[in-house]
Amino acid sequence: MSLPDADTPPEHWRYARHLESLAAVPDGNADAEAEVVTAVLGDPDRVMAEAAVVTHLDRRAVGLLADDGFAAWARAMADVLAGRAFPERRLREWSLLGAVTRGELWSAAELTGASDWCQRTAVRLLGSHEALELLAADARTRRVRNAAAERLRRGTVA
């Protein structure tokens, strides 16, 4: 990372530094990751800190969706995210996507009640025919319904 210039707000530089420190945590070390997440959430700019953590959750979770270690990672993250609505919701939605991916128990109500982000991400990432059929019929937006129907038509589902 280069040095900050006078035109760049300090929170932009802190955001980038937070993402770097989060990305530097070795995969599979949930305790170390939880410590870094806790440190980032201690930043005085709560909105920026939570945005950095959510970006990190998105990056880490996508690689863990089908992994057996997802549940332990999610528990570790849930402990440090307690009381922070946006990151908690994002983690819950990643947990839902993980359950669908791994063939675990999930409900239609959870998926149809999920945020637009979650439903768009589900259409992009999931290979579950059942989940995509549900989203093609009952997703919140026409965009998601059409995308799910298109994936089903193309036959790119397991």
Side-chain angles (χ1 to χ4, degrees):
M1 173 189 285
S2 60
L3 296 174
D5 61 41
D7 296 332
T8 304
E11 63 271 14
H12 290 218
W13 290 100
R14 289 197 324 274
Y15 177 84
R17 281 196 318 270
H18 289 326
L19 288 179
E20 287 175 354
S21 65
L22 289 161
V25 176
D27 288 348
N29 192 340
D31 291 336
E33 188 171 355
E35 286 179 25
V36 177
V37 168
T38 299
V40 170
L41 291 173
D43 190 283
D45 186 336
R46 181 181 177 113
V47 172
M48 180 275 298
E50 288 183 3
V53 167
V54 167
T55 298
H56 172 71
L57 292 177
D58 291 348
R59 291 174 177 173
R60 184 75 85 197
V62 75
L64 289 173
L65 274 183
D67 193 283
D68 290 337
F70 184 91
W73 172 80
R75 278 191 304 276
M77 292 301 102
D79 288 345
V80 298
L81 298 177
R84 295 178 178 267
F86 180 51
E88 280 184 316
R89 179 174 184 161
R90 184 58 62 91
L91 183 60
R92 274 194 313 276
E93 291 183 331
W94 274 117
S95 295
L96 170 61
L97 296 173
V100 175
T101 298
R102 292 184 307 278
E104 297 169 355
L105 195 58
W106 59 278
S107 75
E110 282 179 288
L111 191 55
T112 57
S115 70
D116 293 348
W117 170 88
C118 183
Q119 290 183 358
R120 286 190 312 271
T121 302
V123 169
R124 188 171 45 87
L125 296 178
L126 296 181
S128 166
H129 199 272
E130 179 184 3
L132 289 170
E133 282 183 335
L134 175 66
L135 290 171
D138 294 325
R140 291 158 37 118
T141 66
R142 182 179 12 217
R143 175 182 175 188
V144 172
R145 289 190 301 273
N146 289 342
E150 180 60 26
R151 278 215 48 216
L152 290 166
R153 271 192 299 278
R154 285 192 321 241
T156 59
V157 182

